[in-house]
Amino acid sequence: MVSLNPLSPSICISLLISILLLCVTGASSSPAPNATKIGKGYRLISIEETSGGGLLGYLQVKQKNNIYGPDIPLWQLYVKHETENRLRVHITDAKKQRWELPHDLLPREKPPALKQTIGRSRESPTSVSEYTGSELVFTYKADPFSFAVKRKSNGQTLFNTSSSESDPFGELVFKDQYLEISTKLPKDASLYGLGERTQPHGIKLYPNDPYTLYTTDIAAYNLNIDLYGSHPVYLDLRNVGSEPSAHAVLLLNSNGMDVFYRGTSLTYKVIGGVFDFYFFGGPTPLDVVNQYTSLIGRPAPMPYWTFGFHQCRWGYHNLSVVEDVVENYKKAQIPLDVIWTDDDHMDARKDFTLSPVNFPRPKLLDFLDRIHKLGMKYIVIVDPGIGVNSTYGVYQRGIANDVFIKYDGEPYVAQVWPGAVHFPDFLNPKTVSWWGDEIRRFHELVPVDGLWIDMNEASNFCTGRCTIPKDRKCPGTGPDYMCCLDCKNLTMTRWDDPPYKINVLGQEAPIGYKTIATSAVHYNGVLEYDAHSIYGFSEAVATHKALQRLQGKRPFVLSRSTFVGSGKYAAHWTGDNKGTWEDLRYSVTTMLNFGIFGVPMVGSDICGFYPAPTEELCNRWIEVGAFYPFSRDHANRRSPRQEFYQWDSVAKSARNALGIRYKILPYLYTLNYEAHKTGAPIARPLFFSFPSYSECYGLSTQFLLGSSLMISPVLEQGKTQVKALFPPGTWYSFLDLTQTIVSKDGVDVTLDAPLHVVNVHLYQNTILPIQQGGLLSKEARMTPFTLIITFPSEASEGQAKGNLYVDDDEQPEMLLGNGYSTYVDFYATVKQGSVKVWSQVQEGKFALDQGLVIEKLTVLGLDGNGGAPSAIEFDGKPIAGVSKVEVTAQEQTFHMESQEDGQKKTMMVEVKGLKIPVGENFVMNWKMGI
């Protein structure tokens, strides 16, 4: 749900914002990217090594000016190689502590404390010097000060702040409310990230598009505008001489900023905080995300059931409607694991309450008892705004505990769905405790299985400083998203009207527009001006902590607003989209971006949040959405019903696509484990697996799950074929494993894609564990396994690998050694017609106790010219004559567009009727053509 529309709580706000902004700001006017250069920069006056192995220096302004305010005269520079592949460059005011992201929200090393007096350096700064680590090298020039970061292995310059007369940017600038720094870039660098926004040009950053980072409640169907999250990190992929290398740059700063990307340079213009840069050396994209999430926090482990399908709607007005939805999914034989309600379950839209009329507690508890016994789950929404109501216990306890953001010493008044609200201050430890207690109280009332935290940018229907009117009812008879408080704009402070105007909402809107006033105050005097973009992040941390403490189980939190590190605590959906073909395409890009941001559990509202999708679009959308890591249908209360069973054709597409999803659940869950351990995205751009294949660098219409399962969906109206790019290697159709595509140097292939078909292909060298599927993940995960093993077609020798993680789904951490999990590595080789498949099991007891077994092996790409398999052995013993074991061989066919003359015959071999315990090591061998 969003905030501004009778059509949708999100859409309402979005439409209204667009209209009101014209009144507030006039016509659109973007800040000029090539504005006048500011100042002459700084000179390095001293530098020395620290006892901890870093560099500590001081920088003095060369020539003062008052553009955007006075210069900070003296900076402290701190540089350190924190790991072999991570370099930090931290620059702050040498005399005065400035705002930085709190260390309790994102733990990290602290730079040296500020000195009261600046003594002489033991070492006079030379004009150019360097500080070398294992892979990254920091070099600097003293006057005017600039620095560069280089890669030792190939000499590439990754970041370079030096400025010449011909450059469109100037020297470093450091003022209280304006910080500017730039880097040069080679023309062939492909950049990704800097989110969150809906990018019409695809996953690669597009020169001269606006990149503003400031959390804002505006619908995701708005293009190139700052949306719900702020992620000031980018991944840079370069391919020089067919040697690809990737690195990433994070500016850890929560203040609003514009980033100007011109293709050959990138400039940050930030309205507060410090320069706190982290450089991650890669060199592969997976290495980069691993290094990035090792700093910001590994993605949260998700419960198994969260990878099932979710159904939601803003407008399930009473419990009987919810019950009907669950029953209709069952009748239509469409998988469903989780049912959600928006604010419909609440009493007068107040958090942590139940409507006694529409969701009477005894009937709701009976319903939850029934679905919980089946293995289904129930999740509800929570908005941060707490209704101002003297009879409301949550409000009373909040006031008593002094947990709300303040303005002039009193709780700040805003308006959201319940009417007048106060916003909890999640930077206050007392608020975190109070919030946890309210979640506990609500869980005792309703045993929900997760929480959905929305409107947490934070969204406000009003702007400025407001009071509750005494002469009229608020909300009144007008639209529920229209401001009805008595408000006055705040422009008298430099926090509400800073000297530099970032491009908020694409209109240079006031930074306090439709959110908390930026001169409002948090715990310990922290200004909303500084903390604005971490509001949703801090709420996610508090909510995750509360749910984990509640029962000691693995929590599930879905958050709309995110920041650097949010993935450690929450999943994300991409907010208010439209039911259009364009929005379907955009959803792929946004999903892939969030994998780079360290938030791998992500998806968009399937079929669109608003308005009504066409039947054809909904068919095609579930064929994409079934492969989002987070797969949920969600719609607006004013839109027609769009559950998949509403159309026979969509129901069929849902059964087909979700049927595949529920078979590959063990693969998705193992990717969840890998994400938690290494940060690896679940859904990935193709360049993650094929960094040498530059043709896929901008590809935004296909994606990978893990390293080797490729989805090539139909994203255009009226199409029954799809043109798909196949990077070099052998690919097997998941729908028909005998269908093979061999791509020697990369090839475009036109694939048939009738209405109910989505093309999924499995890459060579893979062992994919799948199960038989079902209508519930709880049932599907107990069915026998098949191992699909893919060798390169026609190769006389080949190898394949895969893995599997299974656990009890409830332990807070995904780890081995606790007795509640098993991890298996699978291996296979083929050499001169001899095939070997084996496993190596860690902590097998859990899988053995669960009775999990492998029933079938399917091996693809074997040389079929010599005949069928024979002499099959299992753990060194022949299995010939063993009852129920069946061996079949079938010739594979090649797609015409990839077929070459003289192609050899390849075979698919299946061994069925096995009962191999997942929790035990095994070895299986056979020979082809004897």
Side-chain angles (χ1 to χ4, degrees):
M1 183 169 79
V2 189
S3 23
L4 287 181
N5 177 327
L7 303 170
S8 118
S10 309
I11 291 183
C12 14
I13 269 189
S14 320
L15 296 178
L16 187 63
I17 281 179
S18 300
I19 297 168
L20 294 182
L21 278 176
L22 292 174
C23 304
V24 173
T25 66
S28 171
S29 58
S30 301
N34 299 327
T36 304
K37 297 181 182 181
I38 301 170
K40 301 295 183 181
Y42 285 68
R43 68 170 61 91
L44 183 67
I45 59 171
S46 70
I47 194 163
E48 62 185 19
E49 289 189 17
T50 68
S51 58
L55 289 181
L56 183 65
Y58 293 95
L59 301 160
Q60 189 175 65
V61 69
K62 294 187 66 173
Q63 181 178 318
K64 294 182 180 180
N65 66 74
N66 286 309
I67 301 172
Y68 302 133
D71 295 280
I72 292 175
L74 194 67
W75 296 3
Q76 176 178 286
L77 166 71
Y78 176 64
V79 186
K80 186 177 181 183
H81 292 282
E82 293 189 338
T83 71
E84 287 187 357
N85 289 285
R86 185 173 83 220
L87 170 69
R88 185 183 189 183
V89 179
H90 182 277
I91 303 173
T92 188
D93 188 332
K95 298 286 190 178
K96 181 181 176 183
Q97 187 68 43
R98 290 179 62 80
W99 162 257
E100 298 188 44
L101 185 70
H103 282 75
D104 58 346
L105 284 182
L106 201 155
R108 59 200 187 278
E109 289 186 32
K110 292 185 178 181
L114 302 178
K115 294 183 179 180
Q116 296 303 308
T117 58
I118 309 301
R120 294 295 302 170
S121 169
R122 293 194 302 268
E123 178 183 333
S124 298
T126 56
S127 58
V128 180
S129 191
E130 70 177 35
Y131 169 51
T132 303
S134 298
E135 171 59 356
L136 299 179
V137 179
F138 175 83
T139 65
Y140 62 85
K141 187 176 73 165
D143 188 7
F145 174 76
S146 66
F147 71 87
V149 178
K150 298 182 180 180
R151 188 187 298 281
K152 183 189 291 186
S153 58
N154 61 14
Q156 283 186 12
T157 299
L158 310 184
F159 200 85
N160 179 6
T161 69
S162 64
S163 171
S164 65
E165 287 296 324
S166 61
D167 289 320
F169 53 85
E171 305 290 348
L172 280 70
V173 181
F174 203 141
K175 299 167 185 283
D176 191 24
Q177 289 182 267
Y178 182 80
L179 287 68
E180 181 181 323
I181 192 170
S182 302
T183 178
K184 297 176 181 178
L185 293 167
K187 290 181 179 179
D188 57 353
S190 296
L191 268 57
Y192 310 86
L194 291 180
E196 171 185 17
R197 73 186 38 74
T198 299
Q199 298 173 195
H201 298 110
I203 55 176
K204 279 179 65 172
L205 298 190
Y206 195 79
N208 300 317
D209 272 359
Y211 296 96
T212 297
L213 284 77
Y214 192 74
T215 61
T216 307
D217 173 12
I218 185 168
Y221 58 74
N222 290 280
L223 306 182
N224 280 333
I225 284 178
D226 43 305
L227 296 179
Y228 315 107
S230 175
H231 295 270
V233 61
Y234 68 85
L235 184 151
D236 182 333
L237 178 60
R238 305 177 188 179
N239 193 342
V240 180
S242 297
E243 292 291 333
S245 61
H247 69 276
V249 179
L250 166 68
L251 172 55
L252 189 58
N253 183 307
S254 66
N255 289 83
M257 67 180 78
D258 288 329
V259 184
F260 296 102
Y261 171 50
R262 304 177 186 88
T264 57
S265 67
L266 188 145
T267 298
Y268 299 87
K269 298 186 177 186
V270 195
I271 61 172
V274 302
F275 288 133
D276 194 3
F277 281 103
Y278 291 85
F279 301 91
F280 306 91
T284 71
L286 275 178
D287 290 335
V288 167
V289 179
N290 187 352
Q291 294 153 13
Y292 180 57
T293 56
S294 72
L295 171 72
I296 68 168
R298 300 298 194 191
M302 296 291 161
Y304 198 95
W305 52 265
T306 63
F307 289 92
F309 177 68
H310 303 243
Q311 179 60 51
C312 183
R313 178 180 173 82
W314 184 36
Y316 288 150
H317 297 301
N318 57 53
L319 180 59
S320 64
V321 176
V322 176
E323 291 175 310
D324 285 346
V325 170
V326 172
E327 184 61 27
N328 284 326
Y329 266 95
K330 182 179 179 181
K331 287 180 181 178
Q333 292 291 286
I334 301 171
L336 178 64
D337 260 75
V338 192
I339 188 73
W340 298 55
T341 53
D342 209 302
D343 66 6
D344 305 286
H345 69 277
M346 298 180 185
D347 179 20
R349 293 175 159 178
K350 300 192 299 290
D351 281 345
F352 307 123
T353 64
L354 273 183
S355 166
V357 175
N358 297 325
F359 284 79
R361 184 170 181 257
K363 291 184 178 181
L364 179 58
L365 292 180
D366 177 67
F367 169 69
L368 294 183
D369 184 58
R370 283 184 277 123
I371 68 169
H372 282 154
K373 285 178 179 176
L374 295 172
M376 289 185 63
K377 307 296 181 180
Y378 176 56
I379 295 176
V380 300
I381 201 168
V382 179
D383 293 337
I386 301 300
V388 178
N389 186 324
S390 60
T391 66
Y392 175 31
V394 179
Y395 169 78
Q396 294 170 342
R397 291 183 290 271
I399 291 293
N401 285 283
D402 192 24
V403 302
F404 298 116
I405 292 171
K406 301 286 184 62
Y407 203 100
D408 283 349
E410 297 295 327
Y412 177 75
V413 179
Q415 181 189 332
V416 203
W417 298 113
V421 300
H422 298 323
F423 286 115
D425 175 11
F426 293 105
L427 300 184
N428 186 340
K430 287 198 303 182
T431 305
V432 175
S433 298
W434 162 83
W435 186 252
D437 185 60
E438 296 303 336
I439 289 175
R440 177 192 61 79
R441 290 170 182 267
F442 182 65
H443 195 270
E444 291 174 354
L445 188 71
V446 186
V448 297
D449 300 289
L451 289 175
W452 169 20
I453 53 176
D454 191 14
M455 308 288 285
N456 52 353
E457 290 71 33
S459 180
N460 182 1
F461 297 167
C462 301
T463 298
R465 188 175 185 185
C466 305
T467 57
I468 302 172
K470 297 178 180 179
D471 58 346
R472 66 185 188 281
K473 187 178 179 182
C474 177
T477 57
D480 51 6
Y481 55 88
M482 295 293 289
C483 181
C484 59
L485 301 177
D486 288 334
C487 303
K488 62 177 181 179
N489 285 333
L490 294 169
T491 57
M492 72 293 291
T493 77
R494 62 193 181 102
W495 312 117
D496 298 298
D497 187 24
Y500 176 77
K501 309 294 188 273
I502 61 172
N503 198 26
V504 176
L505 297 169
Q507 302 275 0
E508 294 184 47
I511 58 174
Y513 181 74
K514 296 290 183 180
T515 188
I516 300 167
T518 44
S519 51
V521 179
H522 292 254
Y523 178 68
N524 268 354
V526 171
L527 286 167
E528 168 70 9
Y529 180 88
D530 294 312
H532 171 82
S533 287
I534 63 170
Y535 189 82
F537 176 36
S538 63
E539 183 191 16
V541 174
T543 306
H544 185 276
K545 180 179 180 180
L547 286 176
Q548 186 162 304
R549 182 180 294 172
L550 195 63
Q551 294 179 305
K553 294 182 180 180
R554 192 178 305 170
F556 178 70
V557 180
L558 182 74
S559 180
R560 191 172 71 181
S561 185
T562 59
F563 186 72
V564 175
S566 284
K568 184 178 179 180
Y569 306 96
H572 174 65
W573 93 107
T574 64
D576 292 356
N577 56 0
K578 278 187 174 181
T580 68
W581 293 94
E582 290 79 12
D583 284 70
L584 170 58
R585 291 192 290 274
Y586 302 151
S587 74
V588 175
T589 292
T590 306
M591 170 184 68
L592 298 178
N593 274 334
F594 269 87
I596 295 171
F597 296 151
V599 189
M601 192 61 163
V602 60
S604 296
D605 286 346
I606 296 172
C607 297
F609 182 65
Y610 155 89
T614 64
E615 183 175 348
E616 182 191 358
L617 175 61
C618 211
N619 270 281
R620 292 309 191 184
W621 208 317
I622 182 53
E623 291 172 356
V624 180
F627 302 99
Y628 295 153
F630 173 64
S631 182
R632 184 183 72 159
D633 177 272
H634 178 43
N636 187 278
R637 60 182 174 175
R638 300 292 185 183
S639 300
R641 296 285 289 272
Q642 64 184 45
E643 296 85 4
F644 301 144
Y645 55 76
Q646 301 288 346
W647 304 271
D648 290 342
S649 71
V650 178
K652 182 176 180 180
S653 291
R655 284 191 291 269
N656 291 345
L658 290 173
I660 298 174
R661 182 185 184 90
Y662 275 63
K663 288 178 182 177
I664 65 170
L665 282 177
Y667 180 62
L668 289 173
Y669 194 64
T670 301
L671 291 175
N672 174 39
Y673 173 74
E674 291 180 4
H676 181 52
K677 292 300 177 185
T678 70
I682 297 171
R684 307 172 189 175
L686 269 64
F687 68 74
F688 265 67
S689 287
F690 304 97
S692 297
Y693 188 55
S694 56
E695 287 83 348
C696 68
Y697 284 11
L699 187 62
S700 306
T701 54
Q702 297 167 250
F703 59 94
L704 293 170
L705 293 178
S707 61
S708 53
L709 199 65
M710 184 169 72
I711 318 300
S712 304
V714 172
L715 302 174
E716 296 179 71
Q717 184 176 3
K719 300 292 186 181
T720 56
Q721 291 182 320
V722 61
K723 187 175 182 181
L725 177 66
F726 285 82
T730 304
W731 297 85
Y732 299 93
S733 170
F734 190 85
L735 298 179
D736 180 355
L737 294 171
T738 66
Q739 298 294 315
T740 310
I741 291 175
V742 177
S743 173
K744 185 177 180 181
D745 300 310
V747 63
D748 286 314
V749 177
T750 300
L751 303 169
D752 288 332
L755 190 60
H756 306 299
V757 171
V758 57
N759 280 281
V760 180
H761 286 83
L762 185 60
Y763 192 55
Q764 65 186 36
N765 309 127
T766 300
I767 300 180
L768 178 72
I770 66 170
Q771 288 175 289
Q772 293 177 359
L775 297 182
L776 273 168
S777 65
K778 181 181 179 180
E779 298 170 354
R781 72 183 304 190
M782 299 308 297
T783 59
F785 282 86
T786 293
L787 299 184
I788 303 176
I789 302 165
T790 62
F791 291 121
S793 176
E794 303 184 14
S796 59
E797 296 184 9
Q799 58 184 17
K801 294 190 294 186
N803 45 42
L804 175 67
Y805 176 86
V806 293
D807 68 5
D808 77 340
D809 192 35
E810 293 190 342
Q811 297 299 307
E813 292 295 321
M814 296 182 90
L815 47 82
L816 294 173
N818 60 4
Y820 297 97
S821 58
T822 295
Y823 184 84
V824 187
D825 283 304
F826 297 108
Y827 301 93
T829 59
V830 60
K831 186 175 183 180
Q832 297 176 342
S834 294
V835 179
K836 179 181 178 182
V837 182
W838 72 100
S839 70
Q840 293 181 353
V841 178
Q842 299 179 56
E843 306 291 333
K845 183 178 183 300
F846 175 78
L848 292 172
D849 291 346
Q850 296 295 305
L852 300 175
V853 297
I854 299 166
E855 182 182 67
K856 183 169 71 170
L857 303 183
T858 300
V859 187
L860 309 176
L862 297 174
D863 184 352
N865 289 291
S870 62
I872 302 177
E873 294 182 348
F874 181 80
D875 286 345
K877 298 178 182 178
I879 66 168
V882 175
S883 63
K884 296 186 179 179
V885 174
E886 179 185 351
V887 182
T888 61
Q890 185 176 354
E891 185 175 348
Q892 294 177 268
T893 59
F894 295 87
H895 197 284
M896 288 184 63
E897 291 179 55
S898 74
Q899 190 168 3
E900 297 177 2
D901 292 337
Q903 208 141 28
K904 297 178 182 178
K905 183 168 72 173
T906 61
M907 304 292 290
M908 176 178 78
V909 172
E910 292 193 318
V911 184
K912 307 175 187 176
L914 302 169
K915 289 187 178 179
I916 305 172
V918 170
E920 291 182 356
N921 294 337
F922 75 89
V923 179
M924 198 164 180
N925 307 77
W926 68 81
K927 292 187 179 297
M928 295 293 296
I930 297 178

